[in-house]
Every structure is written in structure tokens, then in C-alpha cells.
Amino acid sequence: MEFADEARELLLVAPADFVRQRTARQRAVRKDDRALATRIGGLRKPAPAAWVVDLLAHEGALDEAVELGPAIRQALADADPDEIRRLRRQRSDVVAALAQAGADLASDAGHPLTSAVLDQVRATIEAATADGHAGAAVRSGLLVRPLESAGFDDVDLDGALADPDAVPDAWSGTDAEPIPITSARRSRKGSRASRPEPEPEPEPEPEPQSEPEPESEPQAEPGPRTDPAAERRAAREAEATARAESRDADAALDAAEQELEAAEDRRAELERQLAEAVVEVERAERARDEAADASDRARDLLRAAQHHRRDVGR
């Protein structure tokens, strides 16, 4: 099996059981393909919301939601308010139905969802309708973290897929030729090969101000003006930093869990060896006792033979 196929199967395992199953699979393939085993060992545990979306992808349930995306984007480009309202209502119904289906799948697997995780599932499906690249990502069954759409910005797919090279449409778009994954990552925040960048949102023009009326008391000085664009940039940067820290924490947790499992395996092996050593000691002690008994019997026979010989000699 290719790594992407291995990853798809493992990502269907509930997060609570993921590390154990990943370790077992890594060991199973190690003797035949060490490179594949190494990649399996480095596979990240999916966030709960990503696990649910991968379950839906495995069921083929996300197609309708993703296919709404081009129609919604076309209605926005055409500035057709009636069509936009109709499609958004349809998207809301589809997203709600899929979120419920995902919650049912998780409950059937013995891992009911919290409301926070369910919100992330909804946000991920909505992101799939907002951005064709995100749509390809969620349909791949290789998602390891939830997605979120923010206005006209492209959905951030950094670290979102277990095997980005297996999903070129998540980087190049379904209507474009596949492009090298490294180039796609570098250009994701600049221009994308699949479509031109959206026009930036115009800054609101300041309202004309009339001449102030003279007042008897001094006016309080207005506070400093805020720059909405700068605030949005700062918010995105803070979110990216938090996401990176979350990924690092997840990676550290996975590494710690792997080390714990390896230590437990070593302990189990030592306990097995100790048990075998105890059995060997007991066997050796029994053999010693039997040999001592045989030695005593032999000495008794020797003494009896010596007495008999002396008696016969008289």
C-alpha cells in the first residue's frame, strides 16, 4: 500500500486509539518496507473534528457540500442577491445535516462529540464550500486538523493534510495543472495557479465632517484612529501563531505517547524475560535437588557395597 492509503485507513481510527493502532501498523510493515514504516510512524494524530470529517469523506458524504462551492462563488461574482440567499440557505441545510451525520458516526464509534468539536466540523465543511482547494482537502480523507474560512482570504491548508503530495488539487485547484507542492505552499499566500487573487476589500471612506460648533468648554481629544486592515492582519497573525503552537503541542504529545508505548513494550519484554528466568531458576533448583537425592542414594549404595565386601572377606 502507498502511504496515502495507509494514512486514510489510520485516520479513520478514533483519536483516543490512534497512537496504539499507528504503532501496530508501523511494526507490521517495518520488515517489508522500512521507509513506509518511518512515514507511518510520523503520521500525526488527527484532531477530533478532522477525524469526523475524514469519516464523512470515507462515506462519500461531502460531495454535495463541496459541489455547492462553485455555484456560490459564481453567484457572488455575478452579484445576484436572490441566488446568493438561496444557495446560502441550501448550504446551511447541507452543513447542518452533515454535522449531524458526523456526530452520529462519532457516537456509533463510542466517542460522542462536544459542542466545540461539532462547531469545528461545521466550520470545516463551510470552508470546503468557500475555497475549492479546501474542498479537495476535505474530500481527500487525509485531513488532520479542522479548517476555517475567513472572508476573502484563502483557507489556510498548512499542516492540514497527512500527505499533501497525494492531493494536488488542494494546492493547484481542480481546474489547473498540478504544480510542485513546495511551489504551491510558497505561493499559497501570494497568487494561486488556479485563480487570480480576489480584489482587496476597499477601506471605508471617512464620512464628511462638519465644522465643529464653538463650545464654552474644551472638547476631549479623540482617541487614536484604528486601522481595520492592520487589525485584521494582526488577528490572522495571532491565529497563525496559535495554530503553529497547537501543531507543535500535538506533535510533542504524539512523541511522548510513542515514547511511553515504547517504554511499556520494553517493560513487558523485561517482565517476560524475568518470568522465563524465574522458570529456569526453578527448573535448575529441581534438577539440583534431584541430583542431590541421586548422589545420596549412590553414597548409600556405595556404603552398603563396602560393608558387604568386608563381611564376605571375613
Side-chain angles (χ1 to χ4, degrees):
M1 291 179 69
E2 297 293 334
F3 172 67
D5 297 323
E6 295 279 0
R8 284 190 182 93
E9 287 193 7
L10 283 170
L11 291 173
L12 297 176
V13 176
D17 304 321
F18 176 81
V19 173
R20 179 174 55 81
Q21 293 286 350
R22 179 187 61 191
T23 301
R25 186 58 189 155
Q26 181 185 18
R27 289 173 179 166
V29 304
R30 182 177 289 150
K31 65 177 181 179
D32 297 322
D33 192 336
R34 294 188 67 85
L36 178 59
T38 299
R39 294 195 70 186
I40 291 173
L43 179 62
R44 285 179 52 203
K45 180 171 70 175
W51 167 61
V52 173
V53 173
D54 287 334
L55 290 177
L56 291 169
H58 181 69
E59 298 285 327
L62 296 169
D63 294 352
E64 182 181 359
V66 173
E67 288 164 6
L68 276 174
I72 293 174
R73 292 192 290 276
Q74 186 59 52
L76 289 169
D78 295 341
D80 184 341
D82 293 336
E83 185 67 2
I84 291 170
R85 281 194 294 270
R86 184 187 71 79
L87 288 170
R88 282 181 170 168
R89 282 196 299 270
Q90 184 179 353
R91 179 179 66 180
S92 178
D93 293 342
V94 169
V95 169
L98 286 172
Q100 184 58 54
D104 292 342
L105 289 172
S107 295
D108 291 344
H111 297 275
L113 301 184
T114 65
S115 58
V117 171
L118 199 55
D119 287 343
Q120 290 179 335
V121 172
R122 293 190 192 96
T124 299
I125 299 171
E126 288 174 355
T129 68
D131 184 322
H133 300 250
V138 301
R139 292 174 79 173
S140 71
L142 293 169
L143 205 65
V144 294
R145 68 165 178 83
L147 305 179
E148 187 175 3
S149 175
F152 290 102
D153 291 342
D154 293 333
V155 175
D156 182 6
L157 295 176
D158 263 352
L161 292 171
D163 185 6
D165 295 308
V167 197
D169 289 345
W171 301 99
S172 62
T174 54
D175 57 349
E177 291 295 324
I179 58 178
I181 201 72
T182 52
S183 300
R185 283 173 174 163
R186 283 196 299 270
S187 63
R188 185 178 51 77
K189 291 184 179 177
S191 60
R192 288 235 182 144
S194 63
R195 61 179 187 274
E197 285 291 313
E199 293 294 326
E201 294 182 72
E203 295 292 335
E205 297 182 3
E207 296 182 1
Q209 296 181 352
S210 58
E211 290 296 323
E213 295 290 335
E215 296 184 6
S216 55
E217 295 184 4
Q219 294 279 334
E221 292 187 5
R225 291 186 179 182
T226 59
D227 182 352
E231 288 184 350
R232 286 195 296 272
R233 283 194 300 273
R236 286 196 296 270
E237 290 171 1
E239 180 183 353
T241 300
R243 184 177 290 118
E245 291 176 353
S246 175
R247 287 198 295 267
D248 291 345
D250 286 345
L253 175 60
D254 283 352
E257 288 175 336
Q258 283 185 285
E259 290 178 2
L260 175 60
E261 286 207 2
E264 289 175 343
D265 289 343
R266 288 194 297 272
R267 182 181 67 181
E269 177 63 19
L270 290 172
E271 289 176 347
R272 184 187 64 79
Q273 293 176 0
L274 177 60
E276 290 178 353
V278 169
V279 171
E280 288 296 325
V281 168
E282 291 174 349
R283 185 182 298 117
E285 288 176 343
R286 285 196 301 272
R288 181 201 61 192
D289 293 343
E290 290 171 0
D293 291 342
S295 176
D296 291 343
R297 288 193 298 273
R299 280 196 296 270
D300 291 342
L301 288 172
L302 176 60
R303 284 194 293 270
Q306 289 172 339
H307 287 305
H308 179 70
R309 179 176 56 80
R310 286 195 295 267
D311 291 342
V312 169
R314 290 175 185 166

